[in-house]
């Protein structure tokens, strides 16, 4: 073949490759315009809302697992006796109201009348009592409450009494907690009798949308419940009035983020749950899209395994704390500074449990020389410190790499082990396979003690068992019994202080996920759990 | 030939048993605990042990194996831990899109790859040959997921000719299923083109040098007859082998393409099951893939006899 022909062939191939690259690089250059909040009076009824979710649920019973992929969908079908408002306070929803008596050991809950289940039956105490009992026996949140329960009784068709053996402060917060599917949802008693403690495969609730169809790994369809009667109070968080404007919601499971984005761009999806944050500027500049940063979303806790050296020694933990430059960690772990902040309080601003004084003198105080000295004092023997993380998580694995470089500066030998999630969960439950684990938590909780980790030091993976853990357990024990908010907040602050003194975990940064919506979706209000009542579609 | 086919089908049983043993051991010995994934991060040890007991995972491995084998002999391959449906039902319900994708990808590969390979061999060392080599190299080298995303961007987002992702079954949309299959089918076909074109070219170059091809030309036969009737037919054996192998791979499920295009096929099912340690589905998928490979290889062997009458099976 002549040189000319060879050159022409290679040139054509190069053009082909470059054209593909240009097409990929092309983006719509349009003026930036952020969608303004829309008045509900402009709302329109009708249409099918399509939501692209990144993960498929294993089943549709929020009592039987803790993953948000279930409750994100099914909390449109089910409602709680209480729901969280945007200040993260429990507000009566299926309850009309409640009184607390007997120094906090008795809750008398009045039920709303005329509330219909999706099978047409009216909700009464005959349904609420078995729902509470199932929640206590099966749900992860309810199971934490159960040891404190004396009795649950129906006083009348619209009144239920819950009695405790001792004061249990988190009760109402726990019933409204959406974290880890802890919410107490109300179902017909016939359904509970039919399924008992097994996975409920016939979802029937009282929500504005009723269950229609589930094709595993493909989609879940919900349809508007025509007989739904909303509460009259204004919508706030997950509490208040819920209006079903759209006729149908289809939750489509789309694992690939680029495809979720493409679907919103073409209008095939109206909402994409969790899209890459590094494309935020591009999304914000596109007038056909709405880039939604989730406020008060998550925080990343560096968790120590204190069941073995070196972190069974507080000096080693202090050394790590002083070696960590949290701003560098935030940039490396999350990236765009619109998506992360430094925040020493375990609960974010906006929560009634926020502690403005948390972490003083400890949080993000970097002193490498002092850190090296502390590490030496701890008796660290040079054995590799294993940071165990999930490979697929967009924050955990880069966070681990930044952490590695920071800890190596103080003389620690670090081994970052990245695995798939199933392996991480398995290894993390063992004592001798890891030393540090970055674990995402929510930035705001219904209650300081929704998690077993904060009811007792045995409730999380830290393997912590020494004099300091007993002191922490004492704080937890007092916190759980204190129903006066002001006094309980004081104990929460004491807890924050103890965390920063003993460092069983290190609070790093608060960070946010990014959702993407098509401009046709209106009325969406940012909340850590996506809710699609009170939204409508503009044609 | 009939005896040969029967013997091959009988040999299927020991193959599947060996695959079943390997599948069971591989799934249970890899790290990761499906129970903790089902229950979530904050499950207590009591909850974990209770569910393990319910699922039978607290028993010794050999007991679990014999229980499972016993179920298989009763026609029960198990039930998915996450989908709560029988394994056979889960796999069969996902066969339609996988078969469609495999057929489209393979058809594109054959219809374009074989003529391209023949042309390249006939015009050996010409610019046509060089272009064909370049094209096939690109087809083999380009990552599936990159090509998939480019096609989505161009044809889904910019031109809006096809949906960006998703699938609706034939029973729901009839011939409308085509629009969901085109982009993923082209993604798969592109790579198949490259592989088949290269193999065809290589086989044809060998055959075109043979004496009987020279004889055919010397007898005054047209070039078209020489190429198609004398050369190509003899060159097809290795090409059919490659086609068979790639068809088996496609029928087993191409998880990258299925995942990117959000197509609920057997490949996506297998990968999702591995990620969440859905032991029954993983085991069932491995047996299914082994079955596909054995059956496709049998078809390939039968086709040898059809292409080349000198090959006879007894």
């Amino acid at each position: 073949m002549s040189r000319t022909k060879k050159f022409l062939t290679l040139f054509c191939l190069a053009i082909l490759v470059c054209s593909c690259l240009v097409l990929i690089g092309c983006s719509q250059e349009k003026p930036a315009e952020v969608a303004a909040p829309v008045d509900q009076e402009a709302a329109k009824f009708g249409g099918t809302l399509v939501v692209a979710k990144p993960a498929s649920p294993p089943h549709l019973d929020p009592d039987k697992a803790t993953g948000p992929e279930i409750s994100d969908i099914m909390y449109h079908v089910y409602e709680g006796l209480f729901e969280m408002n945007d200040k993260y306070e429990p507000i009566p929803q299926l309850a009309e109201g409640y009184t607390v008596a007997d120094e906090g050991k008795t809750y008398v809950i009045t039920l709303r009348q005329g509330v219909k289940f999706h099978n047409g039956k009216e909700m009464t105490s005959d349904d609420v009592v078995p729902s509470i009992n199932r929640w206590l026996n099966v749900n992860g949140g309810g199971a934490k409450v159960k040891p404190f329960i004396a009795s649950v009784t129906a006083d009348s068709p619209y009144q239920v009494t819950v009695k405790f053996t001792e004061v249990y402060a988190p009760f109402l917060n726990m019933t409204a907690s959406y974290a880890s599917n802890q919410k107490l949802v109300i179902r017909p008693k016939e359904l509970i009798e039919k399924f008992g403690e097994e996975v409920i495969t016939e979802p029937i609730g009282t929500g504005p949308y009723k269950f229609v169809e589930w094709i595993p790994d493909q989609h879940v369809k919900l349809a508007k419940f025509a007989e739904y009667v909303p509460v009259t109070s204004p919508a706030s968080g997950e509490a208040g009035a819920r209006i079903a404007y759209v006729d149908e919601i289809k939750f489509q499971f789309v694992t690939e983020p680029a495809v979720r984005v493409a679907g919103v761009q073409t209008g095939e999806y109206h909402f994409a749950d969790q899209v890459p944050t590094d494309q935020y500027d591009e999304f914000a500049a596109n007038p056909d899209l709405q880039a939604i940063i989730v406020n008060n979303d998550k925080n990343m806790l560096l968790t120590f395994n204190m069941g073995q050296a070196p972190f069974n020694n507080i000096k080693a933990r202090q050394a790590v704390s002083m070696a960590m430059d949290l701003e560098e960690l935030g940039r490396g772990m999350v990236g765009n500074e619109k998506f992360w902040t430094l925040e020493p309080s375990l609960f974010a601003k906006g929560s009634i449990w926020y502690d403005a004084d948390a972490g003083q003198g400890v949080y993000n105080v970097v002193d490498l020389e002092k850190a090296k000295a502390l590490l030496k004092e701890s008796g660290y023997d040079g054995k590799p410190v294993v940071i165990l993380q999930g490979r697929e998580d967009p924050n955990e694995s880069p966070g681990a790499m930044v952490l590695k470089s920071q800890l190596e500066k103080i003389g620690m030998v670090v081994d970052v082990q990245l695995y798939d999630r199933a392996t991480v969960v398995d290894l993390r439950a063992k004592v001798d396979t890891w030393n540090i684990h970055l674990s995402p938590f929510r930035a705001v909780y219904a209650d300081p003690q929704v998690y077993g980790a904060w009811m007792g030091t045995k409730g999380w993976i830290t393997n912590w068992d020494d004099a300091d853990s007993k002191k922490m357990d004492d704080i937890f024990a007092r916190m759980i019994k204190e129903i006066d908010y002001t006094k309980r907040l004081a104990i929460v602050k004491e807890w924050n202080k103890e965390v920063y003194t003993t460092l069983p975990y290190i609070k790093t940064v608060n960070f946010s996920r990014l959702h993407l919506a098509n401009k046709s979706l209106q009325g969406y209000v940012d909340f850590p759990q996506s809710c699609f009542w009170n939204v409508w579609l503009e044609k | 030939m009939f005896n040969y086919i029967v013997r091959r089908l009988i040999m299927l049983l020991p193959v599947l048993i060996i695959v079943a043993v390997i599948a069971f051991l591989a799934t249970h010995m890899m790290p990761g605990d499906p129970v903790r994934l089902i229950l979530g991060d904050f499950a207590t040890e009591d909850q974990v042990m209770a569910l393990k007991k319910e699922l039978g995972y607290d028993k010794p491995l050999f007991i679990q194996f014999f229980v499972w084998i016993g179920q298989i002999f009763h026609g029960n391959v198990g039930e998915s831990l996450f989908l709560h449906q029988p394994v056979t039902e889960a796999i069969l319900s996902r066969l339609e899109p996988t078969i469609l994708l495999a057929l489209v990808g393979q058809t594109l590969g054959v219809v374009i790859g074989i003529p391209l390979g023949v042309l390249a061999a006939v015009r050996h060392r010409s610019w046509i040959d060089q272009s064909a080599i370049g094209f096939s190299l690109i087809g083999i080298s380009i990552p599936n997921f990159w090509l998939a995303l480019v096609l989505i961007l161009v044809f889904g987002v910019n031109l809006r000719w096809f949906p960006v992702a998703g699938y609706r079954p034939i029973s729901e949309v009839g011939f409308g299923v085509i629009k969901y299959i085109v982009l993923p089918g082209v993604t798969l076909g592109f790579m198949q083109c490259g592989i088949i074109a290269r193999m065809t070219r290589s086989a044809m170059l060998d055959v075109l040098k043979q004496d009987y091809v020279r004889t055919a030309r010397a007898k005054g036969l047209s070039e078209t007859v020489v190429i198609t009737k004398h050369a190509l037919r003899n060159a097809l054996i290795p090409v059919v082998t490659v086609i068979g192998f790639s068809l088996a791979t496609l029928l087993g499920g191409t998880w990258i393409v299925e995942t990117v295009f959000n197509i609920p096929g057997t490949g996506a099912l297998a990968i999702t099951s591995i990620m969440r340690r859905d032991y029954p589905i993983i085991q069932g998928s491995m047996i299914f893939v082994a079955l596909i490979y054995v059956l496709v290889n049998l078809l390939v062997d039968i086709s040898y006899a059809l292409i080349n009458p000198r090959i006879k099976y007894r």
Side-chain angles (χ1 to χ4, degrees):
Chain A
M1 186 190 202
S2 70
R3 276 189 186 176
T4 309
K5 283 184 179 169
K6 265 190 189 171
F7 172 74
L8 281 172
T9 307
L10 287 169
F11 182 72
C12 290
L13 286 170
I15 294 291
L16 178 66
V17 169
C18 289
S19 303
C20 292
L21 290 170
V22 166
L23 283 167
I24 291 163
C26 272
S27 60
Q28 298 173 5
E29 298 284 341
K30 293 185 183 173
E33 194 176 320
V34 177
V38 182
D39 191 344
Q40 292 261 328
E41 288 182 1
K44 294 185 170 98
F45 286 88
T48 297
L49 172 67
V50 183
V51 178
K53 302 287 285 179
S56 173
H59 55 75
L60 298 181
D61 185 350
D63 285 339
K64 292 289 280 184
T66 58
E69 55 272 7
I70 302 174
S71 56
D72 281 357
I73 297 170
M74 298 312 290
Y75 284 170
H76 294 78
V77 173
Y78 296 119
E79 290 180 298
L81 277 182
F82 296 86
E83 297 277 0
M84 280 289 136
N85 68 3
D86 60 6
K87 291 183 183 51
Y88 308 98
E89 299 163 315
I91 304 296
Q93 187 79 9
L94 290 180
E96 184 71 52
Y98 69 97
T99 54
V100 184
D102 195 16
E103 295 175 330
K105 291 197 286 188
T106 299
Y107 290 78
V108 180
I109 302 169
T110 315
L111 306 178
R112 279 173 56 208
Q113 297 185 29
V115 174
K116 291 284 177 70
F117 285 111
H118 299 144
N119 61 3
K121 184 190 147 178
E122 189 193 3
M123 180 195 79
T124 67
S125 59
D126 280 350
D127 306 297
V128 173
V129 169
S131 294
I132 294 176
N133 286 328
R134 186 179 200 260
W135 180 70
L136 293 171
N137 290 324
V138 174
N139 184 284
K144 292 175 181 53
V145 181
K146 188 179 175 183
F148 301 85
I149 292 284
S151 65
V152 179
T153 50
D155 307 324
S156 69
Y158 300 106
Q159 185 170 293
V160 169
T161 295
V162 180
K163 287 190 177 175
F164 288 80
T165 54
E166 53 187 291
V167 175
Y168 181 73
F171 174 57
L172 290 183
N173 290 337
M174 192 70 95
T175 63
S177 170
Y178 53 81
S180 299
N181 307 346
Q182 293 171 329
K183 192 186 299 187
L184 161 59
V185 299
I186 305 303
R187 299 179 174 96
K189 75 165 187 202
E190 296 79 12
L191 200 68
I192 295 170
E193 283 165 2
K194 181 177 178 181
F195 288 93
E197 297 187 4
E198 299 300 311
V199 169
I200 290 178
T201 56
E202 296 170 21
I204 298 174
T206 59
Y209 288 94
K210 60 183 180 187
F211 171 76
V212 173
E213 173 184 79
W214 174 41
I215 310 277
D217 294 337
Q218 292 187 54
H219 65 252
V220 170
K221 270 190 203 165
L222 309 178
K224 180 174 170 174
F225 177 42
E227 292 174 73
Y228 179 74
V229 179
V231 296
T232 53
S233 55
S236 169
E238 292 190 329
R242 298 180 177 187
I243 311 292
Y245 289 109
V246 297
D247 293 330
E248 201 176 74
I249 306 177
K250 186 177 179 187
F251 292 93
Q252 188 83 39
F253 308 121
V254 184
T255 51
E256 183 59 38
V259 179
R260 292 200 294 278
V261 168
V264 172
Q265 289 173 321
T266 60
E268 284 169 61
Y269 313 136
H270 300 102
F271 186 95
D273 190 315
Q274 295 175 68
V275 297
T277 56
D278 54 3
Q279 290 179 271
Y280 172 77
D281 291 337
E282 177 195 330
F283 298 149
N286 187 332
D288 293 331
L289 303 176
Q290 302 172 61
I292 302 163
I293 301 177
V294 184
N295 286 313
N296 289 333
D297 195 10
K298 291 184 178 297
N299 74 49
M300 192 69 87
L301 283 188
L302 182 154
T303 311
F304 290 110
N305 177 2
M306 291 181 281
Q308 59 171 0
F311 298 119
N312 53 355
N313 186 311
I314 188 171
K315 290 192 191 300
R317 303 198 297 271
Q318 288 170 334
V320 168
S321 177
M322 287 195 170
M324 287 172 65
D325 178 343
L326 295 182
E327 285 173 2
E328 184 186 61
L329 185 64
R331 281 193 296 273
M333 192 165 63
V334 185
N336 189 328
E337 291 180 9
K338 286 188 175 70
F339 289 91
W340 63 272
T341 56
L342 296 178
E343 176 50 75
S345 172
L346 284 174
F347 304 111
K349 276 182 200 166
S351 161
I352 59 174
W353 306 106
Y354 174 66
D355 179 3
D357 300 320
Q360 286 181 4
V362 180
Y363 182 77
N364 203 29
V365 171
V366 182
D367 187 333
L368 294 183
E369 292 310 312
K370 196 165 178 189
K372 285 178 190 171
L374 282 165
L375 189 63
K376 194 173 174 187
E377 281 176 53
S378 74
Y380 172 60
D381 60 3
K383 193 176 163 196
V385 164
V386 174
I387 302 179
L388 176 70
Q389 298 302 151
R391 191 187 303 124
E392 303 106 2
D393 187 279
N395 305 116
E396 285 183 39
S397 49
M401 300 315 293
V402 173
L403 196 54
K404 173 180 158 79
S405 69
Q406 291 181 349
L407 296 183
E408 282 173 346
K409 285 179 191 166
I410 63 167
M412 219 173 248
V413 177
V414 180
D415 176 18
V416 173
Q417 294 183 3
L418 302 177
Y419 299 104
D420 66 328
R421 181 163 168 69
T423 306
V424 169
V425 168
D426 192 23
L427 292 176
R428 204 177 56 184
K430 300 182 168 98
V431 176
D432 56 353
T433 50
W434 64 284
N435 299 105
I436 287 175
H437 176 66
L438 289 169
S439 191
F441 279 68
R442 290 189 181 265
V444 175
Y445 291 96
D447 188 274
Q449 294 183 290
V450 294
Y451 282 132
W454 301 328
M455 292 173 67
T457 54
K458 301 288 179 294
W460 185 221
I461 55 175
T462 51
N463 301 307
W464 192 19
D465 188 11
D466 59 19
D468 288 332
S469 71
K470 289 172 179 47
K471 193 176 169 191
M472 187 69 86
D473 282 335
D474 173 69
I475 295 174
F476 288 144
R478 284 186 283 120
M479 198 191 300
I480 212 163
K481 286 183 174 34
E482 183 52 72
I483 57 169
D484 179 273
Y485 164 70
T486 307
K487 291 178 185 171
R488 196 155 181 243
L489 179 61
I491 301 174
V492 169
K493 290 184 177 181
E494 186 188 341
W495 170 38
N496 270 304
K497 193 172 172 190
E498 189 64 18
V499 165
Y500 279 102
T501 304
T502 53
L503 296 173
Y505 22 84
I506 297 176
K507 170 78 189 292
T508 62
V509 300
N510 282 10
F511 63 99
S512 298
R513 292 167 298 161
L514 178 65
H515 298 323
L516 189 67
N518 189 276
K519 68 177 180 183
S520 60
L521 179 68
Q522 296 293 319
Y524 181 82
V525 176
D526 169 41
F527 195 66
Q529 184 162 52
S530 308
C531 307
F532 296 104
W533 48 81
N534 302 340
V535 304
W536 65 93
L537 296 174
E538 290 284 349
K539 299 285 185 289
Chain B
M1 172 71 91
F2 176 76
N3 291 340
Y4 175 74
I5 294 172
V6 169
R7 274 203 314 274
R8 288 287 297 268
L9 288 173
I10 289 170
M11 281 180 62
L12 189 60
L13 191 59
V15 169
L16 291 181
I17 290 174
I18 293 170
V19 169
V21 171
I22 294 172
F24 183 87
L25 289 174
T27 50
H28 283 78
M29 290 173 104
M30 63 178 161
D33 183 351
V35 169
R36 290 184 192 277
L37 283 180
I38 290 169
L39 294 174
D41 279 0
F42 298 101
T44 63
E45 283 308 305
D46 288 342
Q47 287 173 311
V48 170
M49 290 317 298
L51 186 54
K52 278 190 174 173
K53 196 171 177 184
E54 188 184 321
L55 296 172
Y57 291 155
D58 59 329
K59 296 186 174 52
L61 211 58
F62 73 93
I63 292 181
Q64 291 183 45
F65 174 70
F66 283 116
V67 167
W68 180 60
I69 287 290
Q71 286 173 344
I72 290 180
F73 279 112
H74 285 92
N76 173 14
V77 189
E79 183 173 287
S80 167
L81 299 176
F82 288 84
L83 303 175
H84 297 284
Q85 65 179 152
V87 170
T88 42
E89 190 183 311
I91 293 175
L92 289 174
S93 66
R94 284 158 174 78
L95 264 186
E96 180 190 287
T98 297
I99 290 173
L100 284 176
L101 279 184
L103 287 177
V104 169
Q106 197 68 300
T107 304
L108 276 174
V110 168
V111 161
I112 298 174
I114 291 181
L116 193 64
V118 168
L119 199 58
V122 167
R123 295 275 187 267
H124 186 47
R125 294 202 176 101
S126 69
W127 68 270
I128 294 174
D129 184 23
Q130 297 300 315
S131 301
I133 292 173
F135 176 79
S136 64
L137 264 176
I138 291 172
I140 294 166
S141 310
I142 281 186
N144 268 355
F145 66 86
W146 182 84
L147 180 61
L149 292 174
V150 168
L151 291 176
I152 287 171
L153 183 67
V154 173
F155 296 102
V157 177
N158 290 340
L159 294 174
R160 313 256 170 131
W161 286 358
F162 302 100
V164 300
Y167 178 83
R168 291 171 71 185
I170 295 172
S171 58
E172 206 176 299
V173 297
F175 283 112
V177 73
I178 291 171
K179 68 179 176 184
Y180 297 101
I181 293 296
V182 167
L183 293 186
V186 166
T187 306
L188 290 171
F190 199 65
M191 186 174 75
Q192 299 306 314
C193 275
I195 297 170
I196 294 171
R198 281 183 71 82
M199 182 53 73
T200 306
R201 175 184 176 275
S202 173
M204 282 293 289
L205 284 173
D206 279 341
V207 165
L208 285 172
K209 291 178 201 156
Q210 298 299 317
D211 290 344
Y212 55 83
V213 172
R214 198 180 325 132
T215 304
R217 285 194 176 115
K219 280 163 67 177
L221 294 174
S222 72
E223 193 64 15
T224 306
V225 171
V226 170
I227 299 299
T228 55
K229 197 171 171 186
H230 292 274
L232 179 59
R233 196 162 165 182
N234 283 292
L236 271 182
I237 296 288
V239 177
V240 164
T241 306
V242 162
I243 289 173
F245 181 76
S246 65
L247 181 63
T249 305
L250 292 177
L251 285 173
T254 49
W255 69 272
I256 292 177
V257 169
E258 288 176 10
T259 300
V260 173
F261 287 100
N262 201 37
I263 292 179
T266 54
L269 174 68
I271 284 301
T272 311
S273 301
I274 290 169
M275 302 285 273
R276 55 191 182 197
R277 303 297 192 271
D278 192 343
Y279 291 157
I281 295 279
I282 298 172
Q283 288 157 190
S285 296
M286 287 175 75
I287 294 173
F288 168 72
V289 170
L291 183 65
I292 293 290
Y293 270 89
V294 170
L295 291 175
V296 169
N297 274 314
L298 176 58
L299 287 172
V300 166
D301 288 344
I302 293 169
S303 69
Y304 289 161
L306 295 173
I307 293 168
N308 189 342
R310 288 172 295 178
I311 297 174
K312 293 190 190 318
Y313 298 110
R314 290 187 178 81

